[in-house]
Amino acid sequence: MKHLISFNNDSQLKDDLLLEVKRHEELDMIVQGHYGRENGKWTGCKVGCSIHSLNKIKGLDYRTDDHSAYESGFGVSRIIARLTDRIFEGLPKERMKTFPFEFWSAVPVGKNLDNVWRKFLIWLLVDPQTGVIKHAADDQQRKAIQDVADLLERSLVEKITPEQFREVHNAARAAAAAYAAAAAYAAAAAYAAAADAYAADAAYADAAYAADAAAAAAYAAYAAYAAYAAAAAYAAAAYAYAYAAAYAAAAARKQRFVTMADKLIELLQAA
């Protein structure tokens, strides 16, 4: 995977970006549902707002839906860009408006953030209070989830090959298979980006398999929670979306995304 340094080690870029993102917030330009539109005034989502701001600051012309702009423009992995994209879309309206500024405020200058998304997935899978392992239906699912989390934990300090991730990926898929019908809706959403050319980039194979393994593990657990939900946790290098449980109550669903936003910011601040 490419070695990225946040803000390309440029503190002025962070300062300029925060000013521009705060302007977007104050002018009510941050909205859910699209990457960027002109309709009297420009509006867009968290990713769109960030890229629109980058274009203005640097005189660039990235498309506001181009997640790769996070890498060249901000030194932040597109995996994290995709992750924040999904979190943003699930947040309550008021938190949605402040999330872009909160996120960029938390991103340190001059750090490699590769382990942030790995730590986020570990938390999403096995956190004692909120992890999807709580919803495992049987020992096979619990083991699949724990094995993925354990391998991600190892990847924080050592190189894990795509083959190793593929092994836990296959086990997680097997655990998920029995509940495929209950989570058909989630599957359709999670794999919508199969044609993304970025998925074919061999340099990202380890990240792709790591995230896909986590997806499968969480997919199994949330599918077992089908009385309340038909969704899964998903964050892949090609698409890198994070799905929270689709709880029956809208308020509970929104709170899940708030919890995810808070955790991601916590991990960024600690990076």
Side-chain angles (χ1 to χ4, degrees):
M1 186 179 288
K2 300 173 185 176
H3 187 71
L4 300 170
I5 299 298
S6 56
F7 290 111
N8 299 317
N9 207 27
D10 181 355
S11 59
Q12 187 62 53
L13 174 58
K14 177 171 181 174
D15 291 344
D16 292 343
L17 178 64
L18 288 175
L19 286 173
E20 189 62 22
V21 169
K22 177 56 76 171
R23 186 179 74 87
H24 281 208
E25 179 185 324
E26 291 171 347
L27 295 178
D28 202 25
M29 297 166 70
I30 301 172
V31 299
Q32 290 166 320
H34 63 82
Y35 287 102
R37 293 176 187 164
E38 286 283 356
N39 186 17
K41 69 176 179 181
W42 186 92
T43 59
C45 67
K46 185 264 178 192
V47 167
C49 162
S50 302
I51 298 174
H52 186 269
S53 298
L54 176 67
N55 286 341
K56 181 176 179 180
I57 293 165
K58 294 291 188 179
L60 302 171
D61 192 30
Y62 286 112
R63 285 176 37 166
T64 52
D65 63 351
D66 181 3
H67 294 78
S68 71
Y70 267 54
E71 297 187 350
S72 53
F74 300 122
V76 174
S77 170
R78 72 187 77 182
I79 303 173
I80 293 176
R82 293 282 192 181
L83 192 62
T84 61
D85 201 350
R86 183 67 186 99
I87 293 172
F88 171 84
E89 292 298 331
L91 289 171
K93 294 294 183 185
E94 291 308 309
R95 182 65 185 277
M96 168 272 292
K97 293 177 182 179
T98 62
F99 181 58
F101 186 83
E102 292 173 8
F103 171 83
W104 289 116
S105 296
V107 174
V109 176
K111 299 287 187 178
N112 181 275
L113 303 177
D114 286 348
N115 279 346
V116 167
W117 68 264
R118 293 184 174 94
K119 290 178 179 179
F120 182 89
L121 284 183
I122 294 166
W123 167 81
L124 192 67
L125 291 173
V126 296
D127 179 76
Q129 281 72 48
T130 61
V132 297
I133 200 167
K134 291 175 61 178
H135 307 305
D138 52 39
D139 289 343
Q140 181 190 14
Q141 288 186 2
R142 276 185 286 275
K143 183 177 187 304
I145 293 166
Q146 190 64 58
D147 286 351
V148 173
D150 289 347
L151 201 58
L152 283 165
E153 189 75 42
R154 285 177 55 194
S155 77
L156 298 176
V157 294
E158 64 181 278
K159 177 66 176 177
I160 304 297
T161 67
E163 288 71 26
Q164 289 172 288
F165 278 120
R166 188 180 297 117
E167 182 178 349
V168 294
H169 158 271
N170 290 339
R173 282 270 175 247
Y179 298 90
Y185 172 82
Y191 298 101
D196 193 322
Y198 186 64
D201 186 346
Y204 283 81
D206 59 339
Y209 274 111
D212 199 45
Y219 174 71
Y222 277 143
Y225 199 46
Y228 298 94
Y234 190 82
Y239 207 48
Y241 270 137
Y243 269 80
Y247 292 106
R253 183 172 64 248
K254 294 293 184 183
Q255 184 55 47
R256 176 62 175 163
F257 282 100
V258 169
T259 302
M260 293 169 72
D262 289 344
K263 185 62 180 183
L264 183 59
I265 288 170
E266 174 192 323
L267 291 171
L268 287 167
Q269 290 172 333

